[in-house]
């Protein structure tokens, strides 16, 4: 069992959009079915220049080596690229 550091960019519609990420182990912690990264974008308030921008998130989670990783953005499945 080790610590996985999961980092990624997400494009948002403008720099005023907030991004929160949570990492959780799915299933039995001793033999997890996977790691879920749930990213949520928070709505903007006020005036903001509508210029798309990338925001980076980073989360750490403990799970065995080789545990599959999946992600959602605002509750919908998202693609992942492992490096």
């Amino acid at each position: 069992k080790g610590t996985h550091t999961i980092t990624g960019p997400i494009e948002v519609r403008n720099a005023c959009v907030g991004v929160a990420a949570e990492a959780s182990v799915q299933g039995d912690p001793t033999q997890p079915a996977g790691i879920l990264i749930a990213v949520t974008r928070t709505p903007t308030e006020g005036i903001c220049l509508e210029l798309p921008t990338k925001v980076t998130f980073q989360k750490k989670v403990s799970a065995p080596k080789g545990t599959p990783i999946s992600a959602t953005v605002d509750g919908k499945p998202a693609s992942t690229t492992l490096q």
Side-chain angles (χ1 to χ4, degrees):
K1 192 168 192 172
T3 299
H4 299 262
T5 301
I6 302 164
T7 304
I10 181 168
E11 188 170 295
V12 294
R13 69 175 181 252
N14 60 52
C16 297
V17 174
V19 174
E22 294 296 325
S24 60
V25 175
Q26 304 296 294
D28 180 357
T30 61
Q31 292 187 322
I35 296 169
L36 174 64
I37 301 299
V39 179
T40 306
R41 295 176 288 191
T42 57
T44 60
E45 293 184 18
I47 299 172
C48 193
L49 178 63
E50 292 297 317
L51 182 63
T53 189
K54 286 189 179 180
V55 176
T56 302
F57 64 88
Q58 181 178 61
K59 296 309 283 184
K60 294 184 181 202
V61 65
S62 294
K65 182 178 180 179
T67 302
I69 299 172
S70 61
T72 61
V73 175
D74 297 331
K76 296 177 183 172
S79 62
T80 59
T81 303
L82 301 178
Q83 295 180 354

